[in-house]
Amino acid sequence: GFSVSVYDVTSRSISLRWPKFSGASSYRVTATAVNTVGHSLLAHFSDVTLKATLTSLIPSTVYAIQAEAIDKNGIILAEAQIMQSTAPDIPVIDRAYSKLSNSITVEWRAVPGATGYMLTAQDGDSFIETVVKNSPGTVTGLKPATLYRITVRSINSGGKSQPSPFRKAKTVLAAPILSVSSPSCDSIALSWPAVYMAAGFSVSLMRSDGLGRMLRENTTNTSLIFTNLDPGTLYTIKAYAWNANGMPGDDFTYNQRTSPNAPADVKVAFNSGALRVSWMPTEGALTYSVTASDGLLKLRCNTSSSFCTVPSLQCSSEYHVSVTAYNDAGSSKPTDAVSLKTVPCAPVNISIEEDEPGHLLVSWSSVSFGHYYVVFVKSDDGLEVHCNTSHTQCHFQSDCGFTYFISVFAYNKAGQSPLGDVFNYTTAPCCPSDFRAAFVSSDTVRVTWAAVRGADLYETRAASRSTAVLCNDTAPACTLSALQCDTRYRITVRSLSEPGGTNTSCAPQHVATAPCSPEIKNISKEGLSAISVQWESHNEDATYVVTARGEAGLWHCTSTGSSCTLTDLPCGSAFSVSAIAKSPAGQSLPSYSVPLETDPCCPNDLILTQVTQSVTNVSWSAGKGAQTYVTTLESPKGQAKCRTLQNYCLLGCITCGTNYTVSLKAVSETGLTSSCTYQGYSSSACCPSGVKLYRLSNNGIRVFWRASDETINYSTDLRGSKGNFTCTPSTGGSHCDITEIPCGDVYTVVVAPLTDKGPKLTFCPKKIYS
């Protein structure tokens, strides 16, 4: 924990320090030169001394330094070693002098072992230090005309030597700071602020290209003017101050060009609204400025070439033009002014009117400096015409539907005026041609026409005595709706455009609308297949067609009055009846449809079949349009009736052997009825009564009965498993014998009256015979 450190080194001394060590009563320091035989130094210090300086050492020598902590018994408690070199030897200044006002240069002899040197310049309490490698060295950053104490120290890795014996040196005067200008093309003026400690100044001037002779002036003033110089020429100027001893200070060099001469051979020309100015270049001029003044306003143009264009000249004005040359020294005198008159202004207050159809009149106000005028009129199809005049108006031909672009120019010797406002004038569009009207319905007319030039919009107007309908559209067609039927209209189509207005000279056309729709008031039945239709209408000279339309087809009737009759309508059919009116102007919309239903059809076939002695079955084919049927059998003895939705019916309470009148009613869903009559019907004869069976032998039987009418013939049938047998007695007979029938069988015996129209009756009572 014991150490030693160096805190200062000089050429012949090393300063050490160490920490206090516990138990030590003294400290011993030994310094031994590493490369020098026999040169060492031993020093003892009390326990209260913790730093010391070893002196009388050899400059630029490495020493091995050992520090020891010793107790009171002389025992070494701790030790520490370090290696340290002494600084080089002290230099000796040979010479110190100043060439610049902010620096001093020092010369000295080299010191062995030194790796660098520190120069110090001290002025009172302030000093400036600079480290250099070898001699000579320069201290910079100094004040002009100031006395400094100069010292030098040598440096190596061990440290710095003590300062050398000082030398005094004074910095030279500062250079004067010139302000230079060229007040004229052949002079240069200089001025500068006072320089500290200066007794006088010397200024020289010479062309920078080396031509000519050098001019030199000595003065005690702070300003100077050189005259009779070359214009626009670059000069090099050098100035310095000297002190009371005549020693010169820093010099100051400055390049200054004299201002140029005014340009020569100035030429002006007017071109497309701009002024072109040209001149001969002048020596030393860097830029040129052109000024054009009309007395109120000055226009300028700057350039580095020998010509310039001044834009934005005012028309109808007279300008005075001059040119000035410039360089970094200043400007020349302006050239003598050249006068120029500009082109006339564009004409104003231009008015265009169509004094009569097909003729345009263009007029304008006169223009200052305008000698004559040209008016250009170009139509939108590319054709252009013009008018050349010294007056202030021109006439032109025009066509309908064209847009004309009109521009007016004024001219003088300088040229054409700038383009003013380009006016456009659109003539009214042409009247529509190829006019056609077609009826869409009785109250709607579609009007078409050929599109015409210049029309942006078409206005179609249909007017009658009491009403008017208006339609506007961009297309060459218009549909006029909500017109009154059976009315004569005056239809006018006018073409419009926003710039050209409306052509009001278009001729109208007359169109009559179709008849009004009739209104069916009544439909009545005049016969089995004839229907009378009546309607109401207020058309003049119209023919009416009534149509009945249904699944069965179409039926028509025609009349010029207010009614007509539809004939041969089929039964059992539903129709929709409507009426239309026709006239040379067209056809009306159909009337509202009225439903019509004809009476249902009677069934074609009706069949009566006797089921029992008192019950008869009646069947028939379906009748078209019928929903329900009412069947009636009627005789003096009574009546049988049946109402049904089917196409058959059982009628009871029938009297046998009776002639009946047969009738049927077909009824539709809405209640229409057709009464149908058919051929009469006779019920079958009555079955016999009191039938009795008697056995004749093992294979015979006799059947007795009591006849209901002696004029009726009867038949007896035996039916068994072993055979069927029939017996028919003569007219008026009341019994019948059946022989040779197999025995041992069970027979069904039926006695029934004979009929002429069909099979035997099966509903008479049966007897069993075994």
Side-chain angles (χ1 to χ4, degrees), residues 231-256:
T233 302
L234 183 64
Y235 285 89
T236 299
I237 304 165
K238 182 177 289 187
Y240 63 88
W242 68 78
N243 60 16
N245 298 324
M247 181 177 292
D250 289 348
D251 57 27
F252 182 92
T253 301
Y254 191 89
N255 290 326
Q256 174 67 41

Side-chain angles (χ1 to χ4, degrees), residues 93 95-98 104-105 122 146-151 165-171:
I93 297 175
R95 184 180 173 202
Y97 55 89
S98 173
I104 293 177
T105 300
Q122 186 172 2
T146 303
L147 184 64
Y148 285 93
R149 290 165 59 104
I150 307 298
T151 59
F166 69 85
R167 283 285 187 97
K168 290 185 178 181
K170 190 174 186 179
T171 54

Side-chain angles (χ1 to χ4, degrees), residues 605-767:
D605 301 318
L606 186 136
I607 300 172
L608 290 90
T609 304
Q610 191 145 358
V611 179
T612 67
Q613 186 169 285
S614 63
V615 176
T616 296
N617 181 49
V618 183
S619 62
W620 53 87
S621 61
K624 185 178 180 182
Q627 183 186 52
T628 60
Y629 302 92
V630 179
T631 307
T632 302
L633 296 183
E634 192 167 5
S635 72
K637 295 181 180 180
Q639 182 189 68
K641 181 183 289 188
C642 171
R643 182 185 295 272
T644 181
L645 293 171
Q646 311 299 326
N647 59 347
Y648 63 87
C649 194
L650 290 176
L651 294 174
C653 302
I654 301 300
T655 303
C656 52
T658 303
N659 291 326
Y660 282 92
T661 300
V662 181
S663 64
L664 182 143
K665 286 185 178 180
V667 184
S668 70
E669 187 178 356
T670 59
L672 296 178
T673 303
S674 293
S675 296
C676 311
T677 58
Y678 298 89
Q679 188 178 357
Y681 166 71
S682 297
S683 60
S684 62
C686 297
C687 292
S689 61
V691 177
K692 296 181 179 180
L693 307 176
Y694 295 96
R695 183 169 59 191
L696 296 178
S697 61
N698 284 343
N699 58 351
I701 187 172
R702 171 171 287 180
V703 182
F704 284 92
W705 63 82
R706 185 167 53 252
S708 59
D709 190 339
E710 294 180 356
T711 61
I712 298 175
N713 292 329
Y714 293 91
S715 172
T716 302
D717 288 330
L718 275 77
R719 298 181 180 273
S721 62
K722 297 180 179 180
N724 297 329
F725 304 92
T726 300
C727 172
T728 302
S730 57
T731 302
S734 60
H735 72 279
C736 186
D737 294 335
I738 303 171
T739 60
E740 298 180 0
I741 62 174
C743 58
D745 199 358
V746 177
Y747 294 91
T748 299
V749 181
V750 177
V751 181
L754 291 174
T755 63
D756 298 333
K757 300 178 180 179
K760 296 177 182 180
L761 299 177
T762 59
F763 52 75
C764 289
K766 298 177 177 62
K767 294 290 187 179

Side-chain angles (χ1 to χ4, degrees), residues 35 40 116 152 190 249 301 330 347 407 512 551 587 601 663:
N35 295 323
S40 63
V152 182
L190 304 95
C301 170
S407 55
E551 292 181 358
Q587 177 178 298
C601 298
S663 64

